[in-house]
Amino acid sequence: MAVTPTAHRFRIRPIAAADRDRLRAFYAGLSEDSRESRFHGATTGISDRAAVAFCEPDHDHREGFVVEALDGGHPPVIGHLCLEPVNETDVEVAVAVADAYQGRGLGHALLVAAIDWARSHDYRRVVATVRPTNGPMFGLLRSTGLPVDLRPADADEVEATLELAVTLPRAA
């Protein structure tokens, strides 16, 4: 789908059933802080059941993307984003990038792919549930250039909403 221009080569593509073991290894390899940011609770990784659910979206209402590092042998998964419908107009997004690859634009590239998919499937908003202390996720959402509406979801979470109907001006 997209190759991120850096010293290393990466590819973003839709997730597939064959990614189950690599996705489980990806989540098991995240730091405790990264897993906490993604799942909002203590976890050592994802279960077999969760791996199946993440890796078998219907591609019409639910979608997922992975980032693969293309340096070397069998490309490892180094990023994951999933999209789950909230209702007919809103889709929820969750994203994680391997600790060693954070800050390289991979989360942004995943989020752009998610926004493109959501727009092409007639969703009007992308929502994310974020811990108030997760500054990098708020920065990632703002990096899209779309308006971000923040509302308290509860004492420990904020609901961030991206309005997809906004058309951004093209750079000259």
Side-chain angles (χ1 to χ4, degrees):
M1 184 173 260
V3 176
T4 306
T6 67
H8 300 282
R9 292 189 35 222
F10 306 102
R11 174 176 59 209
I12 295 175
R13 63 169 176 77
I15 201 162
D19 291 319
R20 274 182 255 166
D21 290 340
R22 293 183 322 133
L23 191 67
R24 288 188 71 221
F26 163 72
Y27 279 111
L30 289 179
S31 69
E32 186 177 328
D33 287 344
S34 290
R35 284 193 305 268
E36 163 66 27
S37 292
R38 167 60 180 87
F39 294 108
H40 301 197
T43 180
T44 58
I46 59 172
S47 67
D48 290 331
R49 185 175 168 188
V52 168
F54 284 146
C55 293
E56 296 182 6
D58 65 11
H59 303 291
D60 288 322
H61 303 93
R62 296 176 58 241
E63 186 57 277
F65 295 98
V66 291
V67 180
E68 296 175 309
L70 300 178
D71 299 337
H74 195 260
V77 169
I78 57 169
H80 174 236
L81 179 142
C82 61
L83 292 155
E84 295 285 337
V86 175
N87 54 44
E88 286 128 21
T89 60
D90 299 349
V91 64
E92 185 170 20
V93 66
V95 63
V97 172
D99 294 84
Y101 293 90
Q102 292 177 9
R104 296 186 188 192
L106 299 178
H108 177 80
L110 279 166
L111 188 54
V112 168
I115 289 168
D116 290 345
W117 182 88
R119 282 180 169 152
S120 72
H121 287 78
D122 298 322
Y123 286 103
R124 294 184 196 147
R125 286 173 291 279
V126 171
V127 298
T129 304
V130 184
R131 291 276 172 109
T133 56
N134 191 346
M137 184 63 182
F138 292 115
L140 175 61
L141 294 167
R142 288 184 182 102
S143 77
T144 66
L146 295 170
V148 181
D149 180 46
L150 302 175
R151 295 180 186 192
D154 63 34
D156 295 328
E157 297 176 337
V158 173
E159 183 176 278
T161 303
L162 297 174
E163 291 290 337
L164 301 182
V166 175
T167 303
L168 298 172
R170 294 210 178 258

